[in-house]
């Protein structure tokens, strides 16, 4: 059993590896950015280049809801905390997992879900999505960290 665990951790395509890379990038971002408030009102740049990257992967591009680098920093930090500590209670009441279970029960009781649903297919679909999202978040955390280093090194964020 120990051999299986080591193989999984060493496989660069494993879910654990992708999660660890994102958490490491977010930790690096958090350690590098000593004064997050300096990111306020600094526009997100390179959005056009990020959009072209997502189009090259045949994946849809979603506009960013963050207005500046500070909000983007907070988003990445929040996602990392959710991954490390679990999902906290949501405003709608209950955890995200509880809401998902309730939604599933409504579908089953309403006849919307088919009895012979292909769970393996659903699992692979969501796993693929998780890999894609975590990979993009890792790149964004690295980009934000590098931009902070570049901008602070040049002093252009200091007012």
């Amino acid at each position: 059993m120990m051999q299986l665990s080591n193989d999984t951790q060493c496989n660069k395509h494993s879910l654990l590896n992708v999660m660890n890379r994102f958490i490491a990038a977010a930790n690096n971002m958090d350690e590098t950015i000593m004064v997050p408030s300096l990111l306020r009102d600094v526009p997100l740049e390179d959005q056009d280049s990020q959009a072209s990257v997502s189009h090259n992967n045949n994946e849809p591009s979603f506009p960013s809801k963050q207005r500046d680098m500070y909000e983007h920093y907070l988003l990445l930090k929040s996602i990392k905390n959710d991954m490390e500590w679990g999902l906290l209670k949501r405003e709608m009441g209950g955890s995200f997992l509880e809401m998902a279970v309730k939604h599933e029960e409504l579908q089953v009781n309403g006849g919307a879900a088919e009895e012979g649903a292909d769970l393996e297919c659903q699992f692979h679909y969501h796993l693929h999505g998780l890999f894609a999202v975590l990979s993009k978040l890792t790149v964004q955390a690295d980009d934000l960290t590098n931009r902070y280093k570049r901008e602070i090194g040049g002093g252009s964020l200091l007012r």
Side-chain angles (χ1 to χ4, degrees), residues 29-30 32-42 68-71 73-74 77 148 157:
M29 174 191 74
D30 205 23
T32 301
I33 299 174
M34 302 303 279
V35 185
S37 62
L38 291 175
L39 299 172
R40 287 188 193 275
D41 300 324
V42 177
D68 59 18
M69 285 181 61
Y70 181 72
E71 288 183 9
Y73 167 82
L74 292 178
K77 190 171 177 174
Y148 180 86
L157 283 179

Side-chain angles (χ1 to χ4, degrees), residues 10-67:
C10 294
N11 185 352
K12 70 178 183 175
H13 300 291
S14 76
L15 179 58
L16 292 175
N17 191 341
V18 172
M19 290 171 61
N20 286 333
R21 278 188 287 162
F22 167 70
I23 290 173
N27 284 337
N28 183 39
M29 174 191 74
D30 205 23
E31 291 170 5
T32 301
I33 299 174
M34 302 303 279
V35 185
S37 62
L38 291 175
L39 299 172
R40 287 188 193 275
D41 300 324
V42 177
L44 291 171
E45 69 179 28
D46 299 335
Q47 288 179 344
D48 294 333
S49 65
Q50 288 177 358
S52 66
V53 169
S54 65
H55 289 299
N56 290 341
N57 293 335
N58 295 326
E59 296 175 8
S61 172
F62 299 103
S64 177
K65 293 182 181 180
Q66 295 78 43
R67 294 180 299 226

Side-chain angles (χ1 to χ4, degrees), residues 87 90 93-108:
L87 296 171
R90 302 289 178 183
S95 69
F96 182 76
L97 179 59
E98 291 168 348
M99 290 189 300
V101 168
K102 287 178 186 175
H103 178 71
E104 184 68 25
E105 287 173 353
L106 287 175
Q107 283 186 333
V108 170

Side-chain angles (χ1 to χ4, degrees), residues 3-15:
Q3 183 66 28
L4 178 63
S5 174
N6 287 339
D7 288 344
T8 303
Q9 290 176 354
C10 294
N11 185 352
K12 70 178 183 175
H13 300 291
S14 76
L15 179 58

